[in-house]
Amino acid sequence: MLSYPNFINSHQPFQFLLSNQPTRFLFPTTFSRVSSYGKCRSNSVSLLFSLKNRKGNGFGVKASLQSSEEVSDAVGVDGGSVVLPQPYSVKIPVGDRHILVETGHIGRQASGSVTVTDGETIVYTSVCLDDVPSEPTDFFPLSVNYQERFSAAGRTSGGFFKREGKTKDHEVLICRLIDRPLRPLMPKGFYHETQILSWVLSYDGLHCPDSLAVTAAGIAVALSEVPMSKTVAGVRIGLVGDKYIINPTTEEMEHSELDLMLAGTDSAILMIEGYGNFLSEEKLLQAVEVGQDAVREICNAVEALVKKCGKPKMFDSIKLPPPELYKHVEEIAGDELVNALQIRNKIPRRKALSLLEDKVLEILTESGVVTNDAVPRSNAETIAEILEVEDEDEEVIVDGEVDEGDVHIKPTPPKPTPLFSEVDVKLVFKEVTSNFLRKRIVQGGKRSDGRTPNEIRPINSRCGLLPRAHGSALFTRGETQSLAVATLGDKQMAQRIDNLIGVDDFKKFYLQYTFPPSCVGEVGRIGAPGRREIGHGMLAERSLEPILPTDDDFPYTIRVESTITESNGSSSMASVCGGCLALQDAGVPIKCSIAGIAMGMVLDTKEFGGDGTPLILSDITGSEDASGDMDFKVAGNEDGITAFQMDIKVGGITLPIMREALVQARNGRKQILGEMMNCSPPPAKRLSKHAPLIYIMKVKPERINLIIGSGGKKVRSIIEECGVEAIDTDDNGTVKIFAKDLASLEKSKAIISNLTMVPSIGDIYRNCEIKSITPYGAFVEIAPGREGLCHISELSSGWLAKAEDAFKVGDRIDVKLMEINDRGQLRLSHRALLPAADLENSSAEQPAGKLTDDTSASQKSYDKGFSKKDTTSSKRRSEDDSVIPSKKFIRKLVSSSQDKPFTNKDKIKKSSNKAVGSVSGKDESSWVSGEPQN
C-alpha cells in the first residue's frame, strides 16, 4: 500500500470519498477548503478527503489517480495562478424593454450569484450552500433575505440609526415572494442548508425591484449546485385600460386596476399574488396567461446561460428514506391510520395520529430495524478504523479457515438487518398519512370532516362583543376563528412608511394579524410577528382596501386587528370576513361586504384510484393544506376579486385548472357572504360612543399659519385649553379637529373660526373685550388675536372728552365693523348699535368736529389709512375673501353647526350644540359628531 510520504512525493492526486460532502485538504504547499463540489485549483498534488454517511452501506474509501494535466484542466490552474470564472451577460426581452442579466462579475465565491438590471434599478442576488447537510426534516432548510439599501436611491435612513437594521414589513413580503415559488421545486432528500441573499444596489424610482428580485433568485439557483432542474422567473402584470403591461413602471401602476405578481417555470405556474379593484375571473386569467408567456421567455433565455456557466448539480447528495420502510409503516399502521383520519375534530385526530406514530416507532425499534443512534449500527465503524493502514502482506487467519495454498477463503458473515433512523420513520409516516388522506378524498369523495369537495364548513358570526372597542366581530368557520377589532383614530395613529425613495408615506388603514400558539392548542414562544403573520395580514389588508371610503368622506385612520383564536386552515380568509364585519360594526361606511375562501387541490388523482382529473377542494382545512397540492386564497364579492394568493406544492398548474378553481371559489364566496348577512347580533353600522368626534372646516390656506403659530405653539395651546385630542391642518386649508366630547370640540372650533375669519364690513360682534384705551379711542378684540379701533366719537351717543370717562380696560361692548383699510386695520363703532333715539339726542348734545388737543395728532395718523376709496375697495375685498365652503364629513351622526363666518347680518347666530340627523346644504363647514347614541 502507498505510504503517506510516498504519496506526497508521487505528485499524484489521491481522493478518499467518505461522504457526499467533500472536505478537501491540499498538500504539501497549500491548504484549501472549498464548498461542496467546488474545485480546488493548484499545481500541487491534492489529497481530498470526503466523509460520507451512507445509511446501511457503511463507510467507503475510493482512490482516484489523475495526471497533473488532468487536475490542472479540471480545476483551472494555469502557471500557478488562479483562473477566476469568466463573466457572462445576456439581455432578455421583458414586455416592451430588456433586462440585463450578468454573472461572474460580483460574488464569485458564492455557489451562484447574479445581477439583474432594469433601467437603472439593479438587484444583486447570491446563493450559498452549507458544506454539511443538516438533520433530515420535512421542511427544506431554505432561508431568504431581501434588503433595500437607502444608498440605492442616494439617501440615508431618516432615523437615528443610519445602518440598515431590522427587515421592514415590505421587505419581508418580498422575501416571501422569492421563497414561495422556489421551495416546491427543491428536491426531497436534499438537506444542505441553502441561503438566498438579495440586495437592491440601485433604484431609479421607476422600475420596481421586487419582480427583479424573484427572477434574480431563480437565475442564481439555476446557476448554483442546488439540484433543482427547473429555472424560476417572476414578473409583475398591470392592467391599464384594456392593456396588460409586463413589469409596469411606478407611473403606470398608479393607473393600473391590477397588481399581479406571477412566478413559474417555462411550463407551469408556481405562485401568483395580487390585488385588484373587483377584477373579474376572466380578466385575471388573461393576466396570468400574459405573465406566463413572459416567464417562459425569461426561463428559456436563462437555460442557455446555465449551459454556458452553470455549476454541476449535487444530485448524488439527495438521500431519501429506503423504499422498504414505506412497506413496514403501511403494514403496521394501515387500518388504524384509516380510522384515525376519519376523526372529524382536529385535536383528537392529531393526538390519534401522534399515538399511532409512536406505536410504529416502538414496533420497528423492538424488531431491531430502527435505531435511535445518530449513526445506524451498520455504519458504526469509526473513521480511524477505516483509515487504518495495514501491511499488504499481512494475513489474519481465522479459526476454521481452509488453507488452500496461496488462496485464503474467508467465511462470509451474515448480512445485518437493514437499520433505519427514527427521523426516516417519522418522514415516511407523514408521507404515508398524506397519501392515505388523499386516497380517502379521491376514492370516497369525503374529507376528514365528512364534507364533499365543494362544501363549506358551518359558519357563525357575531358583532359588538367588546363594549369598549369601536367595532368588534367574532367570525367562526368550522374550527377556524378570528376575533377582529376595528379602532378609529386621528392622523397621529397613521403608520409611517420609511421607503426607498425618501417620500414620507402614511398608511391610514392597516390590518395586523396575530397567530398565537394557543390557537392550535400548543405551547410556543410569543414575540415579534413572523413572516407568516406579516404576509397573512397584508393579504387581508389588501383584500379590504377597495371597499373603504375615501379620506374626504371618512377621514379616520383605521386599524383592524385580527387575532386567530382557533386555527384549522384558512385563517387569513377568516380575517377578511371578520375584518369586514368589524368595520361595519365600527360604523365605517364601506362600499360592500367582502368574503374570502381558500381552495385546495389533489392534482394526480389517478395515483389514488381516480380518473386523473384534478380534484378541487373548497374551504380547505390545515391537513388538506399540508397534504394537498395547492393553496389558493381568493377574496372578493359576487362581482369580482379584490385579492388572491396561490402557492403550488408540485411542479405547477395550468390555466384550465386555475379557471375551475376560480369558478368554484366564486360560488363559495357567495355562500359565505350569505352567512355573514345572518350575523347575530348584526353590525351596529354607526360610530361607537367611544369613537373620537371629528369636525372638518375649511379656511383660507394662507391663514393656516395663524392656527399653527410659531413652532406649533398656538395649536398646542388650543389643544391644551380645549382638551381636544388632536388638530390636523393641511396646506390646502383643511382643518380637522378630533375630540372625545362635544363641548371641547365646539370650544376649539370657535377659537379656530375666530383666528381664521375674514371680517366683512357691516359684521356685528357681541360682547367684545376692550383690550386697551388710548386718548383717541379704545382697541376692542373682536376675535382672538384680532383687534380694531373704536374711535372716541364712536364709543358713545354723547360727547366724550376721554374714553376713560365711560369705559375701562376689560369692559365688554358690542361693536359693528365700519371700515377696513388697505393695511387690514379695522374701524369699529359702538355708537352705531345704540338705539336711534339716543343717536338723535347725541347729535344735538355733541359739538361737531371737536377733539381734544392731546388726541388730534395720534388720531390723524391713524385716519390716514382710511378714505372713501379705501372703504369701497375694502368692501369688495371683504366679499371676495369670504370663507371657503368646506366639504362636509362624517361621524355617527353628522351635525349641522349653524355657525357661519361672520357675514353681513344684523344679528350673530350662536353655535348650536344639538346634533341633527342631516346636513344642510348651506353649511360652510360640517362635522362628524353629534350626541353619541347607545
Side-chain angles (χ1 to χ4, degrees):
M1 178 175 281
L2 183 65
S3 64
Y4 178 78
N6 291 334
F7 166 73
I8 294 297
N9 295 327
S10 68
H11 294 280
Q12 292 183 348
F14 188 77
Q15 178 171 310
F16 287 93
L17 296 179
L18 304 180
S19 82
N20 60 348
Q21 192 59 42
T23 303
R24 304 173 187 267
F25 302 92
L26 187 62
F27 297 101
T29 57
T30 60
F31 176 81
S32 173
R33 181 176 182 269
V34 299
S35 62
S36 57
Y37 291 81
K39 297 180 180 179
C40 181
R41 305 167 186 268
S42 173
N43 276 333
S44 303
V45 178
S46 62
L47 175 62
L48 304 172
F49 291 97
S50 177
L51 177 63
K52 187 172 185 180
N53 180 4
R54 304 171 69 180
K55 292 183 176 66
N57 296 326
F59 290 102
V61 180
K62 179 180 179 181
S64 174
L65 300 179
Q66 300 175 351
S67 66
S68 298
E69 290 79 7
E70 290 174 332
V71 174
S72 178
D73 293 341
V75 299
V77 177
D78 184 11
S81 61
V82 177
V83 179
L84 297 175
Q86 294 297 315
Y88 290 90
S89 63
V90 59
K91 283 189 175 181
I92 304 176
V94 179
D96 57 357
R97 57 185 184 273
H98 289 75
I99 62 173
L100 176 64
V101 178
E102 297 176 284
T103 186
H105 295 269
I106 305 177
R108 293 171 294 186
Q109 296 186 40
S111 180
S113 64
V114 67
T115 59
V116 179
T117 304
D118 186 7
E120 292 182 345
T121 297
I122 302 175
V123 176
Y124 164 62
T125 301
S126 66
V127 176
C128 288
L129 291 82
D130 199 351
D131 291 337
V132 180
S134 57
E135 286 295 322
T137 177
D138 61 337
F139 192 75
F140 180 73
L142 171 67
S143 61
V144 179
N145 286 277
Y146 168 89
Q147 187 178 70
E148 294 178 350
R149 295 192 169 170
F150 289 108
S151 59
R155 59 180 293 261
T156 59
S157 173
F160 181 78
F161 296 101
K162 298 304 178 184
R163 184 187 183 106
E164 283 80 6
K166 179 181 177 292
T167 305
K168 303 177 183 64
D169 284 0
H170 74 278
E171 292 174 329
V172 169
L173 297 173
I174 297 174
C175 288
R176 286 170 52 83
L177 291 177
I178 296 171
D179 181 288
R180 284 160 43 204
L182 291 174
R183 188 174 294 277
L185 296 183
M186 294 295 180
K188 292 182 179 180
F190 184 72
Y191 301 120
H192 291 263
E193 185 175 351
T194 304
Q195 185 179 51
I196 299 175
L197 303 179
S198 188
W199 295 272
V200 179
L201 301 183
S202 177
Y203 179 58
D204 58 9
L206 195 62
H207 303 94
C208 296
D210 47 3
S211 59
L212 298 182
V214 177
T215 298
I219 297 173
V221 171
L223 293 172
S224 73
E225 299 151 320
V226 178
M228 196 172 76
S229 57
K230 287 284 189 178
T231 301
V232 173
V235 294
R236 167 178 269 110
I237 301 98
L239 177 60
V240 179
D242 294 327
K243 181 182 178 182
Y244 293 96
I245 304 174
I246 303 297
N247 283 358
T249 63
T250 53
E251 295 176 353
E252 290 170 329
M253 281 303 299
E254 292 178 359
H255 307 285
S256 177
E257 299 178 24
L258 171 68
D259 181 4
L260 167 64
M261 282 291 298
L262 181 145
T265 65
D266 58 350
S267 58
I269 303 163
L270 293 169
M271 182 272 295
I272 64 171
E273 179 170 329
Y275 314 97
N277 188 16
F278 298 100
L279 199 71
S280 67
E281 284 80 3
E282 200 55 42
K283 284 188 176 181
L284 174 57
L285 289 169
Q286 291 176 12
V288 171
E289 187 174 5
V290 170
Q292 189 180 18
D293 292 340
V295 166
R296 184 183 299 112
E297 194 167 356
I298 297 174
C299 291
N300 292 336
V302 172
E303 289 294 338
L305 180 65
V306 171
K307 290 179 181 179
K308 290 182 180 179
C309 54
K311 293 183 179 179
K313 299 295 183 181
M314 297 171 58
F315 289 110
D316 56 349
S317 296
I318 298 174
K319 300 300 173 186
L320 295 172
E324 57 268 24
L325 185 55
Y326 289 86
K327 183 179 179 181
H328 286 304
V329 172
E330 289 179 3
E331 288 177 351
I332 297 172
D335 295 336
E336 293 185 58
L337 192 57
V338 172
N339 294 331
L341 291 175
Q342 293 178 0
I343 300 174
R344 296 197 174 193
N345 294 332
K346 175 184 175 179
I347 300 300
R349 182 171 63 250
R350 186 180 68 189
K351 290 182 177 179
L353 290 174
S354 179
L355 291 174
L356 184 57
E357 181 185 66
D358 293 340
K359 178 181 178 181
V360 171
L361 273 171
E362 182 181 354
I363 293 175
L364 292 177
T365 303
E366 290 176 353
S367 62
V369 296
V370 169
T371 177
N372 293 327
D373 299 335
V375 180
R377 274 174 277 169
S378 60
N379 294 342
E381 302 165 90
T382 65
I383 298 175
E385 292 172 337
I386 294 173
L387 296 180
E388 182 180 356
V389 178
E390 301 182 56
D391 194 311
E392 287 183 331
D393 297 331
E394 183 180 353
E395 292 290 347
V396 179
I397 306 300
V398 182
D399 290 343
E401 194 174 39
V402 178
D403 186 1
E404 294 183 0
D406 294 334
V407 178
H408 302 282
I409 301 174
K410 298 179 180 180
T412 304
K415 292 184 178 180
T417 305
L419 296 177
F420 314 112
S421 68
E422 185 176 322
V423 174
D424 282 339
V425 176
K426 291 184 176 181
L427 292 174
V428 170
F429 182 83
K430 182 175 182 179
E431 191 169 346
V432 170
T433 302
S434 176
N435 290 337
F436 270 62
L437 178 63
R438 291 157 67 95
K439 185 176 181 179
R440 168 182 166 81
I441 297 172
V442 172
Q443 288 187 343
K446 293 289 185 181
R447 296 146 78 173
S448 293
D449 53 7
R451 289 181 293 146
T452 59
N454 60 354
E455 189 175 349
I456 308 297
R457 289 175 289 178
I459 295 173
N460 64 78
S461 53
R462 52 182 293 209
C463 289
L465 67 160
L466 303 179
R468 295 292 299 188
H470 298 163
S472 59
L474 185 67
F475 178 84
T476 307
R477 177 164 53 196
E479 292 180 297
T480 297
Q481 188 178 74
S482 168
L483 174 61
V485 179
T487 306
L488 307 179
D490 56 19
K491 184 179 179 181
Q492 303 300 321
M493 203 178 85
Q495 185 179 25
R496 180 183 174 184
I497 307 297
D498 193 8
N499 54 32
L500 194 61
I501 58 177
V503 177
D504 284 341
D505 189 15
F506 290 90
K507 287 178 64 175
K508 299 199 67 178
F509 170 69
Y510 47 94
L511 189 148
Q512 295 170 334
Y513 168 100
T514 304
F515 192 90
S518 61
C519 70
V520 288
E522 296 178 355
V523 175
R525 184 181 65 86
I526 296 293
R531 295 188 173 188
R532 180 179 181 275
E533 290 178 298
I534 293 173
H536 281 24
M538 180 56 66
L539 177 63
E541 176 183 310
R542 296 291 297 270
S543 300
L544 295 172
E545 270 185 342
I547 65 173
L548 295 177
T550 63
D551 188 57
D552 291 338
D553 294 331
F554 196 80
Y556 286 101
T557 294
I558 306 171
R559 178 195 184 197
V560 175
E561 302 164 81
S562 174
T563 302
I564 305 304
T565 50
E566 294 181 28
S567 179
N568 187 14
S570 190
S571 58
S572 62
M573 296 296 96
S575 300
V576 173
C577 301
C580 180
L581 291 172
L583 289 174
Q584 291 177 306
D585 193 53
V588 180
I590 61 175
K591 299 174 184 177
C592 62
S593 293
I594 290 292
I597 187 171
M599 312 297 294
M601 178 182 66
V602 178
L603 184 61
D604 188 6
T605 56
K606 188 174 290 186
E607 178 185 356
F608 305 104
D611 59 1
T613 304
L615 180 62
I616 307 297
L617 306 175
S618 295
D619 186 23
I620 58 174
T621 60
S623 59
E624 292 165 347
D625 185 2
S627 301
D629 299 324
M630 179 182 75
D631 181 12
F632 192 5
K633 302 179 178 71
V634 188
N637 61 4
E638 304 96 328
D639 302 322
I641 299 170
T642 58
F644 49 90
Q645 183 184 96
M646 182 183 71
D647 293 317
I648 299 299
K649 302 171 185 178
V650 290
I653 66 170
T654 58
L655 284 173
I657 298 175
M658 188 180 296
R659 178 177 282 105
E660 182 182 351
L662 285 171
V663 171
Q664 195 165 320
R666 181 176 58 194
N667 296 332
R669 292 198 311 273
K670 289 181 181 179
Q671 182 178 343
I672 296 169
L673 287 168
E675 295 293 337
M676 290 169 62
M677 295 289 291
N678 298 326
C679 178
S680 178
K685 295 187 178 180
R686 56 178 173 79
L687 291 188
S688 165
K689 62 182 179 181
H690 303 296
L693 314 179
I694 298 182
Y695 180 84
I696 297 180
M697 58 193 306
K698 196 81 170 179
V699 302
K700 286 289 185 179
E702 58 270 18
R703 294 183 175 271
I704 285 292
N705 288 335
L706 297 175
I707 304 173
I708 300 173
S710 177
K713 189 179 297 184
K714 186 62 180 178
V715 71
R716 286 196 297 269
S717 68
I718 298 174
I719 292 173
E720 292 174 3
E721 179 183 349
C722 302
V724 296
E725 289 189 335
I727 297 175
D728 291 342
T729 59
D730 202 331
D731 292 340
N732 63 5
T734 301
V735 180
K736 299 175 184 176
I737 307 172
F738 297 81
K740 287 185 177 180
D741 57 83
L742 196 61
S744 60
L745 188 146
E746 287 284 2
K747 186 176 180 181
S748 61
K749 182 187 73 170
I751 293 175
I752 293 174
S753 297
N754 292 333
L755 275 175
T756 59
M757 72 173 185
V758 179
S760 299
I761 294 176
D763 286 349
I764 299 173
Y765 304 95
R766 304 288 185 185
N767 200 29
C768 299
E769 183 181 357
I770 297 177
K771 304 297 288 185
S772 62
I773 296 178
T774 65
Y776 52 86
F779 283 92
V780 181
E781 185 181 54
I782 62 172
R786 297 299 304 274
E787 296 180 7
L789 173 66
C790 186
H791 188 264
I792 192 171
S793 63
E794 300 292 337
L795 279 173
S796 172
S797 57
W799 181 83
L800 289 177
K802 293 181 180 180
E804 292 92 334
D805 294 344
F807 301 98
K808 63 180 182 296
V809 173
D811 286 351
R812 292 185 173 275
I813 60 174
D814 298 336
V815 293
K816 182 176 182 179
L817 179 59
M818 307 302 293
E819 297 179 22
I820 304 174
N821 68 6
D822 56 356
R823 289 178 293 177
Q825 294 172 325
L826 310 180
R827 190 163 190 170
L828 308 173
S829 174
H830 174 61
R831 178 171 173 266
L833 300 179
L834 296 176
D838 292 344
L839 291 177
E840 291 175 0
N841 295 334
S842 67
S843 62
E845 297 173 1
Q846 178 179 345
K850 294 286 184 179
L851 286 176
T852 60
D853 294 338
D854 58 348
T855 65
S856 58
S858 57
Q859 169 63 28
K860 289 177 181 178
S861 66
Y862 189 85
D863 286 347
K864 286 182 180 179
F866 293 94
S867 66
K868 294 292 184 182
K869 181 179 179 180
D870 289 334
T871 303
T872 305
S873 62
S874 61
K875 287 182 179 180
R876 182 169 59 251
R877 182 169 58 253
S878 176
E879 293 171 359
D880 294 341
D881 288 345
S882 58
V883 176
I884 303 172
S886 83
K887 200 170 183 178
K888 52 197 64 60
F889 169 88
I890 46 176
R891 165 110 156 122
K892 169 188 56 182
L893 291 177
V894 179
S895 174
S896 172
S897 90
Q898 302 300 326
D899 257 356
K900 294 185 180 180
F902 296 101
T903 54
N904 295 325
K905 301 286 182 183
D906 293 330
K907 191 175 181 180
I908 296 298
K909 295 184 178 180
K910 303 246 174 162
S911 298
S912 170
N913 290 335
K914 184 178 179 180
V916 296
S918 61
V919 179
S920 170
K922 296 180 181 180
D923 282 346
E924 293 168 344
S925 59
S926 55
W927 48 295
V928 185
S929 139
E931 302 290 337
Q933 297 182 1
N934 294 325

